[in-house]
Structures are given as structure tokens and as C-alpha cells.
Amino acid sequence: MKLSVPKEVAEGERRVALVPEVAKRLSPTGIELAVESGAGEAAYHPDSSYEEAGVSVSADAGFSGDVVAKVAPPSAEEIGRMSKGGVLIGFLQPLTAPDTVRALADAGVTSFAMEAIPRITRAQSMDALSSQATVAGYRAGLIAAEELPRFLPMLTTAAGTVRPAQVLVLGAGVAGLQAIATARRLGASVNAFDVRSAVKEQIESLGARFLELDLGLEDGEGSGGYARELTDEEQQKQRELLADAIGGMDAVISTAAIPGRPAPLLIIEDAIKQMKPGSVVVDIAAETGGNCELTEPGETVIKHDVKIVGPLGLPSTMPDHASALYARNISALVELMIDEGELKLDFEDEVLAGACITRDGEIVHEAAKKAAGGSTEPDGSSEAGGEAKSQDAEPEAPGSSEAGGEAKSQDAEPEAPGSSEAGGEPQSQDAGPEASRS
Ligand code: NAD
């Protein structure tokens, strides 16, 4: 079986689906590997590093494999280069890019979407949503620190004491937990809120405080461990309660999302008006519209003296590790597709069956079919995010889905309040909420 990797063509995409380190690990499986010249350049992997790892590199290698692995959804031109019956793996946006899905079906491509891999324990090593959200959450924490005209940690200096910055993280999924961990490491006093009460413990284990909002709801958890979409009334109440809390924050990092739906609106203009001048909002939900009313996706704007950053494509801003983690996800999925070095797709396997979007000229994924206008299934059939989520999905600490486990132990480990290392600053004197809890 031959696996090939093209150079990404989408604007701003710097990741690559295979890195030399993962190629070395795949070699013993008997898979032949080929990469298009320059494919890894933007992620700091020159052609020579692939060659050293036993990968053949050439200008026309990208679509030469039985299986083609990509990062971004394929362009029409790229789909045109796939052969009938060929296998394509990548982020395909099965629910929001119906034209791409239809084109893949029409071309007879057997496609697998990384977004649609069931988020079950067995498939954690293939969970690219988690690996890339880990990068996005980390970057969001750094952006908040960089944009803020204040220190994050408490400082005790000859010129007096600086109080730690108050940071609020909205949405404590994979990205949110990583943003919390990053802001804590930089010494901020972190508060976090999520509609799923199950994450309270995870938030607290990272040394942050769970923001209690009396929304009067049982729980915001829906199916498969994901949040449900709140009713209009619940959302309204949440926005009002949050506005007061946000007013006291130096930085807000918002990551709240409902799979397959636009991001919930959590931060209204009134909340921004209540923030101190110079405060910052980093809205990484900008990818799906934004959690803040004033977010302009892809832009940084200043409104009411508050800087509102709406970054897009955050994983691509850290292409080396984002690619390394993604390549491990790809490699774990590809290993599921081979038997003694030969391509063998077992559609009885729930991971392959759940992730498969098109096959034999048809759209076979129900939610994707519906999004493409080709299904009569009732509304409830559309799983959030298009994934066939299993009920045995378990809460996961940030970074824990990565096969290689790089830097995962630190993130997964509960962090004692005030213990985060910020260049040797005296965290124990932190007068923020952490200190008062301990
Ligand atoms: P996501 O990106 O879909 O959502 C981000 C967060 O926003 C979620 O925590 C969600 O609860 C929150 N949110 C939604 N609406 C909100 C609102 N109105 N106010 C505040 N917060 C809101 O989620 P994700 O990070 O991809 O995954 C969510 C969870 O799924 C994970 O934390 C984990 O528990 C579970 N998961 C399980 C596995 C597994 O393999 N077992 C893998 C990945 C994720």
C-alpha cells in the first residue's frame, strides 16, 4: 500500500499531514511513503528530512498513493487529481462544505473525515479535533498574554506589588482546558465557565476557579459528552450573568462551541463596555462566528478601549507541533486501514464506518448526506459535528489524545493552586481566587 501526501494549497495552511518522525515509525508496517516536494517546508521539514526517513519525494508524488493524506479540505483541482476508488483522508468539513462532499462522491473517492472519527476511547490516538484544539488553546493563552498591556503573574518588586491578571476562559473543552493551563503557567488568576458541570473538577484540577453562574438549568450536557444548545431564554440569562463577571476581567479567552452549529453568543457589547480600558478578548470561536458580539473573524479590533482578537487557523500558526500531532493521528488511522502491508478497509469497524463520508459514488455519512441535501432522515439523526459519537466517550484531559504523548503529562496533571511556575515569581502570595481557595 502506498500513502502519499501533497503540499497543502489552502491559503495560510502551513501544516503537513506527514512528518519525517512519523514516517520513520510507519516504515516497519511495510507502507510505501511518498511526499510532494516542498510539502513540509512551511512546517520546517525540508525534503531532505523526508528522504532521510525513507520517504520518496518528487513534484508529482502528492496524489500518487492508494491513500492520500491531507490536512485542509481538498480544492476542486485536488479532487480532480484523485483516482476513482482512491482513498482520501483529511479535514473535510463534512457538514459545512457540501460542495466538496458532493464532488468527492462524484469522483468516486472513498473519503474519511478526521472530524467524523468517533470520539471513543479506542480512537483517541486518531482524534485530530483534540490534537489541533490543544494547539489552538495554547496559542490563545499566549495571545492574551501578548496583547494585554499588563503582567499576567503577580510580581513583588522594589517598586511595589503587581496583582495577577484576572483571566476568564469560556468553554472548557479541549481548547479551553489548554488555554486555562497556559494562562495558569504564565501566572494569571484564572476563572472558567462551561455549561457542562462535569468539567468543574477538570477546571479546578488545573488550578483555576469554576465560575458559578446561576442559570437555573439542570446541566448543559447533550449527547456524547458535548454541550447541548441552550434555549433562547437560557442563553439570554447566561449573557446577562456573564456580562457582570466579564467586567472584572483583564482578559477573556472564549472557546465555546456546539458541534455543527454556529458558536453561541456569550459576550455582548455591554459586557465589553464594562471591561477596563486595555483589556483583551481572544475569541477562538471566531472560526464558527465567534462568542463575542463584536468579534470580526480573522481581525483584531478595538471597541470601547478593549482589544478583541478573532484569530482563524490557530493550529497553522504553530505548524511544527500541529503537524507532528496531526501526522500521528493520521498514522493511527492508516494503521487501521492496512493488513499485512495491504490496504484493507473494514467497514464493520466503527471508527472507519463513522469517519467514512463518501464511498462508491455515494455520500454514506448520514449527517453529511443531509447537509448536502440528499437525505430524508429526521433532524435528530444529525450527530453534533457529524461524528457518530459513542456514549462511552470519556472526559479527556488536554493533550491526552496525542499518540506520542508529547508534553501531555504536565497538562493532564492537576496543578496545585498557586503552583504554576512563572519564571520564579512568588505564586504562593497570589492574592487571586486561587489563593483564597487554598
Ligand atoms: P467543543 O469544541 O465542541 O466545545 C468547546 C466547549 O464549549 C465545550 O466544553 C462545551 O461544553 C462548551 N460550551 C458550549 N456551549 C457553551 C455555552 N453556552 N457556554 C459555555 N460553554 C459552552 O468541544 P470539544 O473540546 O471538542 O469536546 C468537548 C468534550 O468532549 C471534551 O471536553 C471531552 O469531555 C469530550 N471528548 C471526549 C473524547 C474521547 O475520546 N473520549 C475526545 C474528545 C473530547
Side-chain angles (χ1 to χ4, degrees), residues 119-120 124 127 130 171-174 193-196 225-227 230 238 255-259 264 266 393-396:
R119 293 180 100 174
I120 55 174
Q124 275 192 0
D127 187 349
S130 285
V174 180
F193 174 75
D194 197 294
V195 282
R196 294 179 300 121
Y226 283 85
L230 303 186
Q238 180 182 20
T255 75
I258 306 289
L266 307 182
E394 285 166 11
E396 179 199 44

Side-chain angles (χ1 to χ4, degrees), residues 27-394:
S27 293
T29 60
I31 300 177
E32 190 188 338
L33 299 168
V35 161
E36 181 177 336
S37 313
E41 237 162 50
Y44 306 100
H45 297 297
D47 290 349
S48 56
S49 64
Y50 287 96
E51 281 161 349
E52 280 160 25
V55 181
S56 80
V57 181
S58 68
D60 54 3
F63 291 86
S64 64
D66 307 296
V67 176
V68 176
K70 272 188 53 57
V71 183
S75 64
E77 195 270 327
E78 287 179 313
I79 294 174
R81 296 181 65 187
M82 291 289 304
S83 54
K84 195 174 175 195
V87 175
L88 176 71
I89 310 173
F91 282 120
L92 303 179
Q93 299 177 350
L95 298 191
T96 49
D99 291 347
T100 303
V101 171
R102 265 187 240 107
L104 286 167
D106 292 346
V109 175
T110 304
S111 63
F112 294 89
M114 295 305 280
E115 302 96 322
I117 289 177
R119 293 180 100 174
I120 55 174
T121 305
R122 185 169 73 86
Q124 275 192 0
S125 57
M126 306 160 210
D127 187 349
L129 283 180
S130 285
S131 70
Q132 304 307 295
T134 300
V135 180
Y138 171 76
R139 291 293 291 172
L142 297 186
I143 292 171
E146 196 167 280
E147 296 294 348
L148 205 60
R150 299 166 200 146
F151 284 110
L152 249 62
M154 188 185 98
L155 297 182
T156 308
T157 77
T161 299
V162 175
R163 289 178 63 81
Q166 295 290 325
V167 172
L168 173 64
V169 175
L170 296 175
V174 180
L177 288 171
Q178 193 58 242
I180 293 170
T182 304
R184 285 289 302 142
R185 287 187 198 112
L186 290 170
S189 173
V190 183
N191 307 268
F193 174 75
D194 197 294
V195 282
R196 294 179 300 121
S197 54
V199 295
K200 182 172 191 266
E201 212 176 303
Q202 292 173 31
I203 290 169
E204 289 177 347
S205 77
L206 290 168
R209 187 176 62 158
F210 184 73
L211 184 71
E212 303 281 355
L213 289 186
D214 187 12
L215 289 180
L217 44 110
E218 283 278 296
D219 192 14
E221 185 150 332
S223 65
Y226 283 85
R228 66 175 170 83
E229 195 165 22
L230 303 186
T231 64
D232 288 348
E233 203 178 306
E234 287 169 338
Q235 283 192 40
Q236 179 63 24
K237 191 160 179 195
Q238 180 182 20
R239 288 193 279 264
E240 284 166 11
L241 291 172
L242 273 178
D244 290 338
I246 288 169
M249 298 295 153
D250 296 292
V252 178
I253 300 172
S254 60
T255 75
I258 306 289
R261 307 277 308 143
L265 176 60
L266 307 182
I267 309 168
I268 50 175
E269 186 164 8
D270 264 356
I272 300 291
K273 280 184 189 164
Q274 290 184 49
M275 295 180 89
K276 273 186 296 206
S279 298
V280 170
V281 172
V282 182
D283 187 358
I284 67 169
E287 293 278 0
T288 51
N291 290 143
C292 175
E293 198 170 12
L294 303 179
T295 294
E296 291 179 23
E299 306 289 335
T300 295
V301 294
I302 296 175
K303 300 276 170 79
H304 308 295
D305 281 337
V306 173
K307 196 176 261 189
I308 302 163
V309 189
L312 297 177
L314 277 182
S316 245
T317 64
M318 222 171 75
D320 186 353
H321 268 163
S323 301
L325 298 177
Y326 184 74
R328 290 174 198 166
N329 299 141
I330 289 279
S331 141
L333 180 62
V334 167
E335 283 179 37
L336 210 60
M337 296 179 165
I338 54 167
D339 187 19
E340 294 180 4
E342 296 302 317
L343 180 64
K344 194 172 168 204
L345 299 175
D346 174 10
F347 288 103
E348 296 296 310
D349 184 299
E350 69 171 314
V351 175
L352 291 185
C356 187
I357 305 299
T358 61
R359 188 182 159 200
D360 298 332
E362 304 281 336
I363 304 174
V364 295
H365 187 280
E366 273 313 316
K369 194 194 290 184
K370 192 169 167 237
S375 166
T376 53
E377 289 289 317
D379 275 340
S381 72
S382 172
E383 284 286 347
E387 293 111 42
K389 287 178 205 79
S390 158
Q391 293 305 316
D392 72 347
E394 285 166 11

